[in-house]
Amino acid sequence: MYKQEKIKPYSEKEEKGKQVELMFDQIAHSYDLLNHRLSWNIDKGWRRKAIRQLASAKPQCILDVATGTGDFAIMAAKMLKPKSLIGADISEGMMNIGKGKVKKAEMDDVISFKKEDCMNLTFEDSTFDAVTSAFGIRNFPNLDKGLKEMHRVLKEGGQISIVELTEPVSFPMKQLFKIYSHTVLPIVGRLISKDTNAYNYLTDTIEAFPQGETMVAVLKRAGFREAKFERLTFGVCTMYFATK
């Protein structure tokens, strides 16, 4: 078991997946505002770079895991022009926000949403040309199982592109990030989202999540090959890319 799998938003008693679903349903109304504000909108650039990793393969059928409010899905659909893109998430509240954004962008013919338990995806084996995820796999109750499911639904030769928040490894960014994540992030998160626990949970899971070479090894254990990573913005975010 990885450290972040033991961290739960609210209670030690209830199963993590249910708590994560409740947490995201509760903060859905403020998630986009907080996401962009707390990262000074740098998160948009991280997503863009992760999507570019897939451009040369020209995937036509894409699955966005832990799609949330659909930011990554919408950007991927605009940049990659696939025939279909499914955003899968456990939180109806988050996806309802995403559906509104997709309708406004007039992309209903390409992007659809589906409530899914990422530990047990309902899609057939070898369904998608590419699988993506932005800031979501850190919340998996079982990281190995979730990644194996992403591998299972990916076609042979298909690619996975992931971006995840990580703790910087070098001085002075490591120290500065720790101060920011333990003071500014939870305070602003609490004020805007009204959820006291959600942004403490965010900080705790970022610090506990495997990253860099360790995460590459996790991806390879899940069955992926040619796995690699790149740290972005002094290591505040890490981008992963691998092939089935």
Side-chain angles (χ1 to χ4, degrees):
M1 179 178 265
Y2 304 100
K3 289 180 182 178
Q4 85 285 349
E5 294 174 359
K6 301 175 186 176
I7 301 169
K8 300 176 181 180
Y10 304 115
S11 165
E12 286 302 314
K13 296 177 182 178
E14 195 174 14
E15 193 263 320
K16 179 170 180 171
K18 291 180 181 177
Q19 292 190 49
V20 168
E21 179 181 359
L22 174 63
M23 180 186 75
F24 281 113
D25 280 345
Q26 290 185 163
I27 67 171
H29 67 283
S30 59
Y31 181 82
D32 285 338
L33 173 64
L34 277 165
N35 219 15
H36 303 320
R37 185 170 290 178
L38 289 169
S39 71
W40 299 289
N41 278 319
I42 299 171
D43 62 299
K44 295 176 183 177
W46 296 336
R47 288 186 181 90
R48 197 170 291 111
K49 191 158 187 175
I51 292 165
R52 282 199 203 106
Q53 294 187 119
L54 299 168
S56 62
K58 298 180 181 177
Q60 293 303 297
C61 186
I62 301 172
L63 174 66
D64 186 38
V65 171
T67 194
T69 62
D71 273 357
F72 201 61
I74 293 168
M75 187 181 285
K78 287 179 178 177
M79 290 175 64
L80 300 174
K81 307 265 189 306
K83 289 180 181 176
S84 68
L85 193 156
I86 299 174
D89 203 285
I90 200 170
S91 168
E92 292 274 17
M94 295 283 277
M95 288 191 291
N96 285 337
I97 302 287
K99 287 172 186 175
K101 287 155 67 173
V102 167
K103 188 172 184 180
K104 187 176 179 181
E106 298 182 342
M107 302 190 81
D108 307 69
D109 57 330
V110 177
I111 302 172
S112 60
F113 292 89
K114 197 167 187 294
K115 180 168 174 140
E116 289 278 339
D117 174 2
C118 295
M119 301 300 98
N120 295 283
L121 295 169
T122 60
F123 308 105
E124 297 289 330
D125 295 359
S126 307
T127 299
F128 300 97
D129 300 310
V131 178
T132 62
S133 187
F135 318 119
I137 64 170
R138 195 182 66 258
N139 300 305
F140 284 179
N142 185 322
L143 180 61
D144 288 332
K145 191 173 182 182
L147 290 173
K148 283 175 183 174
E149 278 294 275
M150 292 164 80
H151 180 272
R152 179 183 67 77
V153 302
L154 192 61
K155 291 178 183 177
E156 195 68 34
Q159 297 167 327
I160 186 170
S161 184
I162 295 171
V163 280
E164 190 53 83
L165 294 170
T166 46
E167 187 178 29
V169 295
S170 302
F171 177 86
M173 202 61 195
K174 180 179 175 73
Q175 288 71 20
L176 291 170
F177 181 77
K178 189 169 283 289
I179 293 167
Y180 176 76
S181 62
H182 283 270
T183 54
V184 177
L185 196 153
I187 291 169
V188 174
R190 184 166 59 249
L191 287 172
I192 295 177
S193 73
K194 310 301 181 189
D195 190 317
T196 305
N197 296 302
Y199 287 85
N200 287 323
Y201 166 83
L202 173 66
T203 298
D204 292 343
T205 52
I206 290 170
E207 291 177 351
F209 192 71
Q211 59 176 299
E213 293 87 352
T214 305
M215 185 62 192
V216 164
V218 173
L219 285 165
K220 287 182 177 177
R221 279 200 298 274
F224 293 99
R225 58 187 173 86
E226 298 172 18
K228 60 182 181 179
F229 74 96
E230 181 183 346
R231 289 190 172 94
L232 308 175
T233 317
F234 306 105
V236 172
C237 175
T238 303
M239 181 171 69
Y240 300 93
F241 185 71
T243 305
K244 178 172 178 179

